[in-house]
Amino acid sequence: MKEIVINVTSLETRIALMEDKRLVELSIERSENRSVVGNIYKGRVDSVVPGIQAAFIDIGFEKNGFLYVSDIAGAEGTGDFDFEEGTAKPRARKGKQPGIETILKKNQSIMVQVSKDTLGTKGVRLTNYVTLPGRYIVLMPTVKHLGVSRKIENEKERDRLKKIMQEVRQPGVGMITRTAAEDKSKAELHADIKYLMKIWQKSKNKMESMKGPCLLHEDLTPVLRLVRDTFTNDIDKLTIDDEQEYGRILNFLDNFAPSLKKRCKLHNVKKPIFEKFEIEPEIQKALNRKVYLKSGGHICIDQTEALVAIDVNTGRFTGSKHLEETVFKTNLEAADVIARQVRLRDLGGIIVIDFIDMQYERNRRELIKRLQDALKDDRAKTTVSEVSELGMIEMTRKRVKHNLIKALSQPCPYCEGMGLVRSVTTMTATVLRQLENLFCHTKEKRIIVQVHPDVARRLRHESKELLDDIAARFDREIQVESVSDFHIHDIKVVSARTRKEITV
C-alpha cells in the first residue's frame, strides 16, 4: 500500500510518501527558500575558468550558477545518453574534448536550466541540456535522442512506445517516455508532446525578446510537480489538508489523468494531518543519530563533508545459538532499515556502511542482495559495492537537494557544528595555564576569573589547591566567578579593582 500525504501551511509544504503506513520519503519546501530545479533562465556568462572546465553564469541570483563543459549541448565529444526518469545526462566520448574557453565567451547569452539547488556555499548547478517533463513524456529540445524509461521492462511495450515516438516526434527534438506512459494511447502521448512544445516555443521567444538575465520558464508548484512526477497508478491514495491545492490537483488531473481523481481525498478535520497518519514521530526519529532495530541492535548515522558513515551494532541482541547467526540476522535487519533511512533522510554522495564482520561468504552475498532489493523502490540512482574483508559496503546515491537533517536543522551555535565541546577538565587546565601566563605580564594584584558554572565548580573544589598554588607563587588574589550564560569555552579575566578586562 502506497499513499501520499500532503501538509500545506503558509510557511511550508510537506509531502510524505508512505509505504505500508510507514514514512519512506519526505520532501519539505519552504516559501522563503523555494526550489528552483527545473526552472529555465536566460543567463549571461560572467566568467570562464578553463582550469576547472566550467563557466559561472549570471541568472539574476545573488550567487552565479556554474556550468560544466559536459553540460553544454552541442559540444563536440558528447555521445550517448544515460536516461533516467525525467532527465538525460550525456556520456562523454573517449578522446579529447574541446575546452570550455572555445565554446563560451564572457558576456555571451545562453539558455540554461537549474539541475541542482544551492548546496552549502555553492551556487546553483546549471545545464544547457533543457528537459521539459510532462505527464508521460520528457521533451529534450536541445538533443535528438529517443529513450524509454528503464522502469518499463516489457520489451513489447518498449517497442510500441518507440514506434509511437518515431511517429509523433517533432523535427529536431529528443524525447523520453516516462514510466507513466506504459499502456497509454498514441493520442495521449501526442497531447503531452503538443503541450510541452508550446512551453518550449514560449521559452525560445522570451529568450530572443528579453534583455539581460531573466526567468524564461518556471516549473510547477511543489504539489503539482509531485502529482505530475509521482502520482501514478501504483499510488493507492493521496490525502491533502489544503482545499485550494486540492482543487488545483483535481483540475490538473482532469487534463492529464482523470482516472486518478477518485484516489484524492481532502483532509478537513481539526486533527493535524501528519498527527493522524503518525508521521510527526517518524520525522523526529529521522533527526536522531541512532536508529534502533527491532532485534535490539542499532545503527548510527554520521554525516561528514566528504561522506556518510553508517555503523551497525548488535546492541543487546545476543541471538539464540551461534555468533555468526546473530551477526547475520542483525546485518539483514540493518540492511532494510538503512535502505529506508537513506531514502527518508535523502542521504547522497558516498555512503560507507560498516556492517558487523561475517565469517561465511554466502552470508556476505545474501547481505548484498538484501540491501540491493531494499533499495529498488528508491527513485534516486544508487550503486552498491561488494562487502570488503572488513565487512564494509560502499554505495553511492544521487541527490539534488538538501538532505532532511540539513533542511530541518542548522549548525549548533554552541559547538559550531563539531558535535563536541572541550571537557571541564580541559577547560580547567586551560584557565590555570592562562593565569600563569597573565601574571607574567601584569602586576594586577587582585583579579576575578569569569568562567562557565561547571568550570567554576571544578576550580573551587577539585582544583582549588592548584589555583591556590598559582596565587601563592605569584603573590596574587584570585576570585572565581560563575557566569551562567557563558559558553564552556569562554574565559574572561577582569580586575577586581576596576572591573575592566585584562588581556595579554
Side-chain angles (χ1 to χ4, degrees), residues 103-158:
I103 304 170
L104 297 179
K105 302 298 179 186
K106 186 176 174 64
N107 293 322
Q108 176 181 339
S109 293
I110 182 172
M111 182 186 289
V112 288
Q113 186 172 34
V114 178
S115 59
K116 280 188 181 181
D117 279 317
T118 299
L119 291 176
T121 58
K122 296 179 180 177
V124 295
R125 179 163 176 176
L126 303 170
T127 179
N128 182 237
Y129 289 98
V130 174
T131 57
L132 292 169
R135 177 70 179 173
Y136 309 120
I137 298 289
V138 176
L139 185 72
M140 302 184 299
T142 55
V143 298
K144 298 180 182 180
H145 296 261
L146 296 179
V148 177
S149 168
R150 294 194 193 110
K151 293 182 180 179
I152 299 176
E153 298 177 350
N154 185 291
E155 284 302 320
K156 284 187 177 180
E157 179 61 13
R158 293 179 68 86

Short mmCIF file of all heavy atoms in Angstrom, two decimals, residues 103-158:
data_model
loop_
_atom_site.label_atom_id
_atom_site.label_comp_id
_atom_site.label_asym_id
_atom_site.label_seq_id
_atom_site.Cartn_x
_atom_site.Cartn_y
_atom_site.Cartn_z
N ILE A 103 34.12 27.43 -26.41
CA ILE A 103 32.66 27.34 -26.60
C ILE A 103 31.95 28.59 -26.09
O ILE A 103 31.04 29.11 -26.74
CB ILE A 103 32.10 26.10 -25.88
CG1 ILE A 103 32.80 24.82 -26.36
CG2 ILE A 103 30.60 25.99 -26.08
CD1 ILE A 103 32.47 23.60 -25.53
N LEU A 104 32.39 29.08 -24.91
CA LEU A 104 31.73 30.23 -24.28
C LEU A 104 32.69 31.40 -24.15
O LEU A 104 33.89 31.22 -23.93
CB LEU A 104 31.19 29.86 -22.90
CG LEU A 104 30.10 28.78 -22.82
CD1 LEU A 104 29.71 28.53 -21.36
CD2 LEU A 104 28.88 29.17 -23.64
N LYS A 105 32.16 32.61 -24.27
CA LYS A 105 32.92 33.83 -24.08
C LYS A 105 32.22 34.72 -23.06
O LYS A 105 31.00 34.66 -22.89
CB LYS A 105 33.06 34.60 -25.40
CG LYS A 105 33.71 33.80 -26.53
CD LYS A 105 35.13 33.40 -26.20
CE LYS A 105 35.73 32.57 -27.34
NZ LYS A 105 37.08 32.05 -26.97
N LYS A 106 32.99 35.54 -22.36
CA LYS A 106 32.44 36.44 -21.36
C LYS A 106 31.36 37.33 -21.97
O LYS A 106 31.49 37.80 -23.10
CB LYS A 106 33.55 37.30 -20.75
CG LYS A 106 33.10 38.19 -19.59
CD LYS A 106 34.29 38.93 -19.00
CE LYS A 106 33.85 39.93 -17.95
NZ LYS A 106 33.21 39.32 -16.78
N ASN A 107 30.26 37.52 -21.23
CA ASN A 107 29.10 38.35 -21.60
C ASN A 107 28.20 37.71 -22.66
O ASN A 107 27.23 38.32 -23.11
CB ASN A 107 29.51 39.75 -22.06
CG ASN A 107 30.12 40.55 -20.93
OD1 ASN A 107 29.66 40.46 -19.80
ND2 ASN A 107 31.15 41.32 -21.24
N GLN A 108 28.52 36.49 -23.07
CA GLN A 108 27.67 35.78 -24.02
C GLN A 108 26.36 35.37 -23.35
O GLN A 108 26.33 35.00 -22.18
CB GLN A 108 28.41 34.53 -24.52
CG GLN A 108 27.60 33.64 -25.46
CD GLN A 108 28.40 32.41 -25.87
OE1 GLN A 108 29.63 32.39 -25.79
NE2 GLN A 108 27.70 31.37 -26.31
N SER A 109 25.24 35.44 -24.09
CA SER A 109 23.95 34.98 -23.58
C SER A 109 23.79 33.49 -23.83
O SER A 109 24.20 32.99 -24.89
CB SER A 109 22.80 35.74 -24.24
OG SER A 109 22.81 37.10 -23.86
N ILE A 110 23.17 32.79 -22.88
CA ILE A 110 22.99 31.35 -23.02
C ILE A 110 21.73 30.91 -22.26
O ILE A 110 21.44 31.45 -21.18
CB ILE A 110 24.24 30.58 -22.50
CG1 ILE A 110 24.06 29.06 -22.70
CG2 ILE A 110 24.53 30.90 -21.05
CD1 ILE A 110 25.33 28.26 -22.40
N MET A 111 20.99 29.97 -22.82
CA MET A 111 19.83 29.43 -22.14
C MET A 111 20.29 28.28 -21.23
O MET A 111 21.00 27.38 -21.69
CB MET A 111 18.78 28.90 -23.13
CG MET A 111 17.53 28.36 -22.44
SD MET A 111 16.35 27.57 -23.59
CE MET A 111 15.73 29.01 -24.47
N VAL A 112 19.90 28.35 -19.97
CA VAL A 112 20.31 27.31 -19.01
C VAL A 112 19.12 26.88 -18.17
O VAL A 112 18.14 27.62 -18.01
CB VAL A 112 21.45 27.81 -18.08
CG1 VAL A 112 22.76 27.93 -18.83
CG2 VAL A 112 21.07 29.13 -17.40
N GLN A 113 19.23 25.67 -17.62
CA GLN A 113 18.21 25.14 -16.72
C GLN A 113 18.88 24.72 -15.42
O GLN A 113 20.00 24.19 -15.44
CB GLN A 113 17.51 23.94 -17.37
CG GLN A 113 16.33 23.40 -16.57
CD GLN A 113 15.57 22.34 -17.37
OE1 GLN A 113 16.14 21.57 -18.13
NE2 GLN A 113 14.25 22.30 -17.19
N VAL A 114 18.22 24.94 -14.28
CA VAL A 114 18.79 24.58 -12.99
C VAL A 114 18.64 23.07 -12.78
O VAL A 114 17.54 22.53 -12.85
CB VAL A 114 18.11 25.34 -11.84
CG1 VAL A 114 18.70 24.90 -10.49
CG2 VAL A 114 18.27 26.84 -12.02
N SER A 115 19.78 22.38 -12.55
CA SER A 115 19.74 20.94 -12.30
C SER A 115 19.94 20.61 -10.83
O SER A 115 19.55 19.53 -10.38
CB SER A 115 20.81 20.22 -13.14
OG SER A 115 22.11 20.71 -12.83
N LYS A 116 20.53 21.53 -10.07
CA LYS A 116 20.70 21.34 -8.62
C LYS A 116 20.54 22.68 -7.92
O LYS A 116 21.08 23.69 -8.38
CB LYS A 116 22.08 20.77 -8.27
CG LYS A 116 22.22 19.28 -8.47
CD LYS A 116 23.55 18.80 -7.91
CE LYS A 116 23.73 17.31 -8.13
NZ LYS A 116 25.02 16.82 -7.56
N ASP A 117 19.81 22.66 -6.80
CA ASP A 117 19.68 23.88 -6.00
C ASP A 117 21.01 24.23 -5.34
O ASP A 117 21.95 23.43 -5.33
CB ASP A 117 18.61 23.67 -4.91
CG ASP A 117 17.20 23.85 -5.43
OD1 ASP A 117 16.97 24.80 -6.20
OD2 ASP A 117 16.33 23.05 -5.08
N THR A 118 21.05 25.42 -4.75
CA THR A 118 22.22 25.84 -3.98
C THR A 118 22.47 24.85 -2.85
O THR A 118 21.56 24.53 -2.08
CB THR A 118 22.00 27.24 -3.38
OG1 THR A 118 21.80 28.17 -4.45
CG2 THR A 118 23.19 27.68 -2.55
N LEU A 119 23.69 24.32 -2.76
CA LEU A 119 24.07 23.41 -1.68
C LEU A 119 25.29 24.00 -0.99
O LEU A 119 26.32 24.19 -1.60
CB LEU A 119 24.39 22.02 -2.22
CG LEU A 119 23.23 21.20 -2.77
CD1 LEU A 119 23.73 19.89 -3.35
CD2 LEU A 119 22.20 20.92 -1.69
N GLY A 120 25.15 24.30 0.31
CA GLY A 120 26.25 24.90 1.05
C GLY A 120 26.60 26.27 0.51
O GLY A 120 25.73 27.12 0.34
N THR A 121 27.88 26.47 0.18
CA THR A 121 28.33 27.78 -0.30
C THR A 121 28.28 27.88 -1.82
O THR A 121 28.59 28.93 -2.38
CB THR A 121 29.78 28.03 0.16
OG1 THR A 121 30.62 26.97 -0.33
CG2 THR A 121 29.87 28.06 1.68
N LYS A 122 27.91 26.80 -2.49
CA LYS A 122 27.90 26.79 -3.95
C LYS A 122 26.62 27.43 -4.49
O LYS A 122 25.57 27.36 -3.88
CB LYS A 122 28.01 25.36 -4.48
CG LYS A 122 29.31 24.65 -4.13
CD LYS A 122 29.29 23.24 -4.68
CE LYS A 122 30.58 22.49 -4.34
NZ LYS A 122 30.54 21.08 -4.82
N GLY A 123 26.75 28.01 -5.68
CA GLY A 123 25.57 28.47 -6.38
C GLY A 123 24.86 27.30 -7.03
O GLY A 123 25.29 26.14 -6.91
N VAL A 124 23.77 27.58 -7.73
CA VAL A 124 23.02 26.50 -8.38
C VAL A 124 23.87 25.88 -9.49
O VAL A 124 24.70 26.54 -10.10
CB VAL A 124 21.69 27.02 -8.96
CG1 VAL A 124 20.75 27.48 -7.85
CG2 VAL A 124 21.92 28.14 -9.96
N ARG A 125 23.65 24.59 -9.71
CA ARG A 125 24.31 23.94 -10.85
C ARG A 125 23.38 24.04 -12.05
O ARG A 125 22.17 23.84 -11.94
CB ARG A 125 24.63 22.48 -10.54
CG ARG A 125 25.30 21.80 -11.73
CD ARG A 125 25.99 20.53 -11.39
NE ARG A 125 26.53 19.90 -12.59
CZ ARG A 125 27.26 18.79 -12.59
NH1 ARG A 125 27.54 18.20 -11.45
NH2 ARG A 125 27.70 18.29 -13.72
N LEU A 126 23.96 24.34 -13.20
CA LEU A 126 23.18 24.59 -14.40
C LEU A 126 23.51 23.57 -15.50
O LEU A 126 24.58 22.95 -15.48
CB LEU A 126 23.47 26.00 -14.94
CG LEU A 126 23.23 27.16 -13.97
CD1 LEU A 126 23.78 28.45 -14.54
CD2 LEU A 126 21.75 27.29 -13.64
N THR A 127 22.59 23.42 -16.41
CA THR A 127 22.82 22.61 -17.60
C THR A 127 22.24 23.33 -18.80
O THR A 127 21.27 24.08 -18.67
CB THR A 127 22.21 21.21 -17.45
OG1 THR A 127 22.45 20.46 -18.65
CG2 THR A 127 20.71 21.27 -17.21
N ASN A 128 22.83 23.09 -19.96
CA ASN A 128 22.32 23.63 -21.21
C ASN A 128 21.47 22.58 -21.94
O ASN A 128 20.89 22.85 -22.97
CB ASN A 128 23.50 24.09 -22.08
CG ASN A 128 23.07 24.73 -23.38
OD1 ASN A 128 23.47 24.28 -24.44
ND2 ASN A 128 22.24 25.77 -23.32
N TYR A 129 21.43 21.35 -21.36
CA TYR A 129 20.55 20.30 -21.88
C TYR A 129 19.18 20.50 -21.26
O TYR A 129 18.90 20.03 -20.16
CB TYR A 129 21.09 18.91 -21.53
CG TYR A 129 22.33 18.53 -22.29
CD1 TYR A 129 23.59 18.67 -21.72
CD2 TYR A 129 22.24 18.02 -23.57
CE1 TYR A 129 24.74 18.31 -22.41
CE2 TYR A 129 23.38 17.66 -24.28
CZ TYR A 129 24.62 17.81 -23.69
OH TYR A 129 25.75 17.46 -24.39
N VAL A 130 18.30 21.21 -21.92
CA VAL A 130 16.98 21.53 -21.38
C VAL A 130 16.09 20.30 -21.43
O VAL A 130 16.03 19.59 -22.45
CB VAL A 130 16.34 22.69 -22.17
CG1 VAL A 130 14.92 22.93 -21.71
CG2 VAL A 130 17.18 23.95 -22.03
N THR A 131 15.41 20.00 -20.33
CA THR A 131 14.42 18.93 -20.28
C THR A 131 13.12 19.50 -19.75
O THR A 131 13.10 20.21 -18.74
CB THR A 131 14.88 17.76 -19.38
OG1 THR A 131 15.15 18.25 -18.07
CG2 THR A 131 16.12 17.10 -19.92
N LEU A 132 12.02 19.21 -20.45
CA LEU A 132 10.69 19.67 -20.04
C LEU A 132 9.83 18.46 -19.74
O LEU A 132 9.37 17.76 -20.66
CB LEU A 132 10.06 20.52 -21.16
CG LEU A 132 10.74 21.86 -21.43
CD1 LEU A 132 10.20 22.47 -22.71
CD2 LEU A 132 10.51 22.82 -20.26
N PRO A 133 9.60 18.15 -18.46
CA PRO A 133 8.84 16.96 -18.11
C PRO A 133 7.34 17.20 -18.25
O PRO A 133 6.80 18.22 -17.81
CB PRO A 133 9.19 16.72 -16.63
CG PRO A 133 10.25 17.71 -16.28
CD PRO A 133 10.15 18.82 -17.28
N GLY A 134 6.66 16.25 -18.89
CA GLY A 134 5.21 16.23 -18.92
C GLY A 134 4.72 15.06 -18.10
O GLY A 134 5.48 14.47 -17.32
N ARG A 135 3.47 14.72 -18.26
CA ARG A 135 2.93 13.59 -17.51
C ARG A 135 3.50 12.26 -18.02
O ARG A 135 3.83 11.38 -17.24
CB ARG A 135 1.40 13.60 -17.66
CG ARG A 135 0.69 12.44 -16.99
CD ARG A 135 0.75 12.52 -15.49
NE ARG A 135 0.03 11.42 -14.88
CZ ARG A 135 0.03 11.16 -13.58
NH1 ARG A 135 0.71 11.92 -12.76
NH2 ARG A 135 -0.64 10.14 -13.10
N TYR A 136 3.62 12.12 -19.34
CA TYR A 136 4.06 10.86 -19.93
C TYR A 136 5.38 10.97 -20.70
O TYR A 136 6.05 9.98 -20.91
CB TYR A 136 2.99 10.34 -20.92
CG TYR A 136 1.61 10.28 -20.34
CD1 TYR A 136 0.56 11.01 -20.90
CD2 TYR A 136 1.35 9.52 -19.20
CE1 TYR A 136 -0.72 10.95 -20.36
CE2 TYR A 136 0.07 9.47 -18.65
CZ TYR A 136 -0.95 10.19 -19.23
OH TYR A 136 -2.20 10.15 -18.68
N ILE A 137 5.72 12.19 -21.11
CA ILE A 137 6.89 12.41 -21.95
C ILE A 137 7.79 13.47 -21.32
O ILE A 137 7.31 14.42 -20.71
CB ILE A 137 6.45 12.91 -23.36
CG1 ILE A 137 5.59 11.87 -24.06
CG2 ILE A 137 7.65 13.30 -24.21
CD1 ILE A 137 6.33 10.65 -24.53
N VAL A 138 9.09 13.28 -21.48
CA VAL A 138 10.05 14.35 -21.17
C VAL A 138 10.61 14.83 -22.50
O VAL A 138 11.22 14.05 -23.25
CB VAL A 138 11.19 13.85 -20.26
CG1 VAL A 138 12.21 14.97 -20.04
CG2 VAL A 138 10.65 13.38 -18.93
N LEU A 139 10.36 16.09 -22.80
CA LEU A 139 10.85 16.68 -24.05
C LEU A 139 12.27 17.19 -23.86
O LEU A 139 12.57 17.86 -22.87
CB LEU A 139 9.94 17.84 -24.47
CG LEU A 139 10.24 18.49 -25.82
CD1 LEU A 139 9.83 17.55 -26.96
CD2 LEU A 139 9.51 19.82 -25.95
N MET A 140 13.17 16.84 -24.80
CA MET A 140 14.57 17.30 -24.76
C MET A 140 14.86 18.06 -26.04
O MET A 140 15.37 17.50 -27.02
CB MET A 140 15.51 16.11 -24.61
CG MET A 140 15.23 15.26 -23.38
SD MET A 140 16.44 13.92 -23.16
CE MET A 140 16.18 13.00 -24.66
N PRO A 141 14.52 19.35 -26.08
CA PRO A 141 14.60 20.11 -27.34
C PRO A 141 16.01 20.40 -27.81
O PRO A 141 16.18 20.83 -28.96
CB PRO A 141 13.85 21.40 -27.00
CG PRO A 141 13.92 21.53 -25.52
CD PRO A 141 13.94 20.14 -24.98
N THR A 142 17.03 20.18 -26.99
CA THR A 142 18.40 20.50 -27.41
C THR A 142 19.15 19.28 -27.94
O THR A 142 20.31 19.39 -28.31
CB THR A 142 19.19 21.12 -26.24
OG1 THR A 142 19.15 20.23 -25.12
CG2 THR A 142 18.61 22.46 -25.84
N VAL A 143 18.51 18.09 -27.95
CA VAL A 143 19.15 16.88 -28.48
C VAL A 143 18.13 16.15 -29.36
O VAL A 143 16.95 16.51 -29.40
CB VAL A 143 19.64 15.94 -27.36
CG1 VAL A 143 20.70 16.61 -26.51
CG2 VAL A 143 18.49 15.46 -26.49
N LYS A 144 18.58 15.09 -30.04
CA LYS A 144 17.68 14.38 -30.95
C LYS A 144 17.48 12.92 -30.55
O LYS A 144 16.96 12.13 -31.32
CB LYS A 144 18.25 14.44 -32.37
CG LYS A 144 18.37 15.85 -32.92
CD LYS A 144 18.94 15.86 -34.33
CE LYS A 144 19.09 17.29 -34.85
NZ LYS A 144 19.66 17.32 -36.21
N HIS A 145 17.86 12.59 -29.34
CA HIS A 145 17.79 11.19 -28.91
C HIS A 145 16.39 10.82 -28.44
O HIS A 145 15.64 11.64 -27.92
CB HIS A 145 18.77 10.95 -27.75
CG HIS A 145 20.20 11.14 -28.16
ND1 HIS A 145 21.03 10.09 -28.48
CD2 HIS A 145 20.95 12.26 -28.30
CE1 HIS A 145 22.22 10.56 -28.81
NE2 HIS A 145 22.20 11.87 -28.69
N LEU A 146 16.05 9.53 -28.62
CA LEU A 146 14.80 8.97 -28.10
C LEU A 146 15.14 7.93 -27.04
O LEU A 146 16.10 7.18 -27.19
CB LEU A 146 14.00 8.31 -29.22
CG LEU A 146 13.50 9.22 -30.35
CD1 LEU A 146 12.73 8.39 -31.38
CD2 LEU A 146 12.60 10.32 -29.80
N GLY A 147 14.36 7.88 -25.98
CA GLY A 147 14.61 6.92 -24.93
C GLY A 147 13.32 6.49 -24.26
O GLY A 147 12.31 7.17 -24.34
N VAL A 148 13.38 5.34 -23.58
CA VAL A 148 12.24 4.81 -22.83
C VAL A 148 12.69 4.57 -21.40
O VAL A 148 13.81 4.08 -21.16
CB VAL A 148 11.72 3.49 -23.45
CG1 VAL A 148 10.58 2.90 -22.62
CG2 VAL A 148 11.26 3.73 -24.88
N SER A 149 11.86 4.92 -20.44
CA SER A 149 12.20 4.74 -19.03
C SER A 149 12.68 3.31 -18.76
O SER A 149 12.08 2.33 -19.23
CB SER A 149 10.98 5.04 -18.16
OG SER A 149 11.19 4.62 -16.83
N ARG A 150 13.76 3.19 -17.99
CA ARG A 150 14.29 1.87 -17.65
C ARG A 150 13.29 1.05 -16.86
O ARG A 150 13.36 -0.18 -16.85
CB ARG A 150 15.57 2.03 -16.81
CG ARG A 150 16.74 2.65 -17.53
CD ARG A 150 18.00 2.43 -16.70
NE ARG A 150 19.11 3.25 -17.18
CZ ARG A 150 19.60 4.28 -16.53
NH1 ARG A 150 19.07 4.63 -15.38
NH2 ARG A 150 20.61 4.97 -17.02
N LYS A 151 12.38 1.72 -16.17
CA LYS A 151 11.43 1.00 -15.32
C LYS A 151 10.34 0.29 -16.12
O LYS A 151 9.59 -0.51 -15.57
CB LYS A 151 10.81 1.97 -14.30
CG LYS A 151 11.82 2.49 -13.30
CD LYS A 151 11.19 3.39 -12.27
CE LYS A 151 12.23 3.90 -11.28
NZ LYS A 151 11.63 4.82 -10.27
N ILE A 152 10.24 0.60 -17.41
CA ILE A 152 9.34 -0.16 -18.28
C ILE A 152 10.15 -1.32 -18.84
O ILE A 152 11.01 -1.15 -19.71
CB ILE A 152 8.79 0.73 -19.42
CG1 ILE A 152 7.98 1.90 -18.85
CG2 ILE A 152 7.91 -0.10 -20.37
CD1 ILE A 152 7.46 2.87 -19.88
N GLU A 153 9.92 -2.52 -18.33
CA GLU A 153 10.78 -3.67 -18.64
C GLU A 153 10.23 -4.56 -19.75
O GLU A 153 10.97 -5.31 -20.38
CB GLU A 153 11.00 -4.49 -17.37
CG GLU A 153 11.73 -3.70 -16.27
CD GLU A 153 11.90 -4.50 -15.00
OE1 GLU A 153 11.27 -5.58 -14.89
OE2 GLU A 153 12.64 -4.04 -14.10
N ASN A 154 8.92 -4.49 -20.01
CA ASN A 154 8.32 -5.32 -21.05
C ASN A 154 8.81 -4.88 -22.42
O ASN A 154 8.60 -3.74 -22.84
CB ASN A 154 6.79 -5.21 -20.97
CG ASN A 154 6.10 -6.14 -21.94
OD1 ASN A 154 6.16 -5.95 -23.15
ND2 ASN A 154 5.41 -7.14 -21.41
N GLU A 155 9.47 -5.80 -23.16
CA GLU A 155 10.09 -5.44 -24.43
C GLU A 155 9.07 -5.05 -25.49
O GLU A 155 9.30 -4.14 -26.29
CB GLU A 155 10.95 -6.60 -24.94
CG GLU A 155 12.28 -6.75 -24.21
CD GLU A 155 13.14 -5.49 -24.29
OE1 GLU A 155 13.17 -4.86 -25.37
OE2 GLU A 155 13.78 -5.14 -23.29
N LYS A 156 7.91 -5.73 -25.51
CA LYS A 156 6.87 -5.38 -26.48
C LYS A 156 6.36 -3.96 -26.24
O LYS A 156 6.14 -3.19 -27.18
CB LYS A 156 5.71 -6.37 -26.39
CG LYS A 156 6.01 -7.72 -27.02
CD LYS A 156 4.76 -8.59 -27.05
CE LYS A 156 5.05 -9.92 -27.75
NZ LYS A 156 3.84 -10.79 -27.80
N GLU A 157 6.18 -3.61 -24.96
CA GLU A 157 5.70 -2.26 -24.62
C GLU A 157 6.76 -1.22 -24.96
O GLU A 157 6.44 -0.14 -25.47
CB GLU A 157 5.34 -2.19 -23.14
CG GLU A 157 4.87 -0.83 -22.65
CD GLU A 157 3.60 -0.34 -23.35
OE1 GLU A 157 2.93 -1.14 -24.04
OE2 GLU A 157 3.28 0.84 -23.19
N ARG A 158 8.03 -1.55 -24.75
CA ARG A 158 9.12 -0.62 -25.09
C ARG A 158 9.15 -0.38 -26.61
O ARG A 158 9.29 0.76 -27.06
CB ARG A 158 10.47 -1.17 -24.62
CG ARG A 158 10.61 -1.25 -23.11
CD ARG A 158 11.97 -1.82 -22.71
NE ARG A 158 13.04 -0.90 -23.04
CZ ARG A 158 13.46 0.09 -22.27
NH1 ARG A 158 12.89 0.28 -21.10
NH2 ARG A 158 14.43 0.89 -22.65
#
